[in-house]
Amino acid sequence: MPASIPATLIPGDGIGPEIVDATLTILDALGAPFEWDRQIAGLAGVKEAGDPLPPATLESIGRTRLALKGPLETPSGGGYRSSNVRLREHFQLYANLRPARTIIPGGRYDDVDLLVVRENLEGLYIGHEHYIPIGNDPHAVAIASGVNTRQGSRRLMEFAFEHALRAGRKKVTLVHKANIMKALTGIFLEAGLELYESRYKGRFELDTVIIDACAMKLVLNPWQFDMLVTTNLFGDILSDLTAGLVGGLGMAPGANIGANAAIFEAVHGSAPDIAGKGVANPTALLLAAAMMLEHCQHVDLATRLRRAISDTFNLDGVRTGDLGGRATTAQFTQALASRIRNG
């Protein structure tokens, strides 16, 4: 038996507890060696502890340095600040990985295998915003400041380039807007080009593309790209775009990785409108769990999990409603667990 691995589990809000329970069932079927410490965050944290990110949750992740997280609800406009952003900042999770792989063939795009690597802590998402009142309008002018640093950009590039080598990626594309935001994204582009020239030249192909052109090219011909490396805001947008190429956010896992912790998640929302109806698709969180297994050096288990998901969809024909099927969350989970045990 492999040694147990302590990990924090955050069920999340809305459909979170349903897809987390499904994922735990599948990980048990796999024999994954995680030893879970269940904690709360988001709306559940507010309701139970008066805090969307309770100290006990932070302490748990600080101790285990590993977490699997369901979707957390963040109010639009007012209310509390995103727990996802706070987690990234607290644990300095500077790299966000968002793979997009075709699992169900026959869609508008086939054989897509892309990876977006997003800088997670800088750019326009640092939250330096304020209003300037004019006359009787307290919100007459809104101002936001973006910050990219050479150190932060280089740290992300080093992570991305090393990951490209480990994963066998042949081409890395730096996505920027340095033609307009010459300083803010220029420093990011500059850091990547300098690092490639000094340490990685010839080990994989490197090119660059402006963000708006990249979005168009992804829709026209996504196969021209392999790995995209970009800043915080651009990465947020492009990772959702690439998810759309392979079936939507229900097929989109994510990982937030830093020097001292890693948090794996389903990147879709909490979908409170379907919570409790038993129709949620747990695939994104299952794929995040596969990434977590790889991170913990259990590549064989991650491979078995991904293969079983594909076989359940494509050989057994068991799919949830968002993928054109009729299976409930429980029925899909049962079929997937049977695939794993009998496969």
Side-chain angles (χ1 to χ4, degrees):
M1 289 287 292
S4 63
I5 301 173
T8 303
L9 181 70
I10 303 174
D13 303 315
I15 61 171
E18 298 169 65
I19 63 174
V20 163
D21 285 347
T23 300
L24 293 181
T25 296
I26 299 308
L27 289 173
D28 285 345
L30 271 174
F34 297 119
E35 181 181 333
W36 300 107
D37 179 19
R38 190 178 288 257
Q39 297 292 336
I40 55 174
L43 185 60
V46 172
K47 290 179 177 178
E48 295 183 37
D51 188 339
L53 199 54
T57 302
L58 296 175
E59 185 279 330
S60 175
I61 299 172
R63 176 172 46 80
T64 65
R65 302 173 60 177
L66 186 68
L68 182 67
K69 181 180 72 61
L72 302 177
E73 187 168 328
T74 302
S76 297
Y80 54 85
R81 191 162 176 247
S82 166
S83 298
N84 295 322
V85 173
R86 287 178 60 195
L87 281 168
R88 294 168 193 164
E89 292 176 348
H90 184 88
F91 293 105
Q92 288 294 289
L93 307 176
Y94 61 87
N96 178 252
L97 292 179
R98 285 281 300 273
R101 295 188 181 97
T102 299
I103 300 178
I104 300 176
R108 187 174 302 174
Y109 301 92
D110 256 342
D111 299 318
V112 171
D113 183 3
L114 293 168
L115 178 63
V116 177
V117 183
R118 163 191 174 190
E119 201 288 320
N120 231 6
L121 299 176
E122 299 188 337
L124 287 164
Y125 278 21
I126 58 172
H128 290 178
E129 298 182 301
H130 64 278
Y131 293 104
I132 298 177
I134 298 177
N136 294 324
D137 185 355
H139 290 177
V141 179
I143 294 180
S145 298
V147 176
N148 285 328
T149 65
R150 185 177 301 279
Q151 180 184 13
S153 299
R154 185 179 177 92
R155 177 175 62 177
L156 188 277
M157 295 294 179
E158 287 178 337
F159 174 88
F161 291 175
E162 288 296 325
H163 188 86
L165 294 174
R166 289 194 304 272
R169 296 282 174 172
K170 305 300 183 185
K171 179 181 177 182
V172 176
T173 302
L174 307 183
V175 186
H176 65 93
K177 191 65 178 175
N179 58 325
I180 302 298
M181 293 187 288
K182 297 182 184 296
L184 186 63
T185 68
I187 194 172
F188 184 85
L189 176 62
E190 185 179 278
L193 293 174
E194 288 177 350
L195 181 64
Y196 181 75
E197 286 295 322
S198 64
R199 287 172 47 188
Y200 294 92
K201 190 170 184 177
R203 302 172 73 182
F204 51 79
E205 180 185 351
L206 182 76
D207 69 349
T208 68
V209 66
I210 296 170
I211 176 63
D212 39 324
C214 181
M216 178 192 68
K217 291 179 177 183
L218 277 167
V219 174
L220 290 174
N221 177 18
W223 305 279
Q224 66 188 288
F225 297 110
D226 190 6
M227 175 190 282
L228 303 171
V229 182
T230 190
T231 53
N232 205 335
L233 174 61
F234 298 159
D236 191 9
I237 296 168
L238 288 183
S239 56
D240 277 18
L241 190 159
T242 56
L245 302 176
V246 298
L249 293 180
M251 309 292 281
N256 301 283
I257 298 175
N260 297 308
I263 299 177
F264 299 83
E265 62 185 357
V267 299
H268 56 69
S270 59
D273 56 319
I274 62 169
K277 296 181 179 180
V279 297
N281 177 7
T283 302
L285 193 64
L286 288 164
L287 293 171
M291 297 176 72
M292 187 171 171
L293 286 165
E294 283 184 332
H295 178 78
C296 297
Q297 308 303 314
H298 287 284
V299 177
D300 55 334
L301 294 180
T303 300
R304 283 181 59 200
L305 176 52
R306 292 192 183 104
R307 184 184 301 118
I309 292 171
S310 177
D311 288 347
T312 303
F313 285 151
N314 299 310
L315 299 181
D316 303 331
V318 180
R319 304 178 187 179
T320 49
D322 59 312
L323 300 176
R326 297 183 179 181
T328 64
T329 308
Q331 288 168 341
F332 173 74
T333 304
Q334 183 180 13
L336 179 56
S338 177
R339 258 282 164 193
I340 289 169
R341 294 190 182 103
N342 299 326

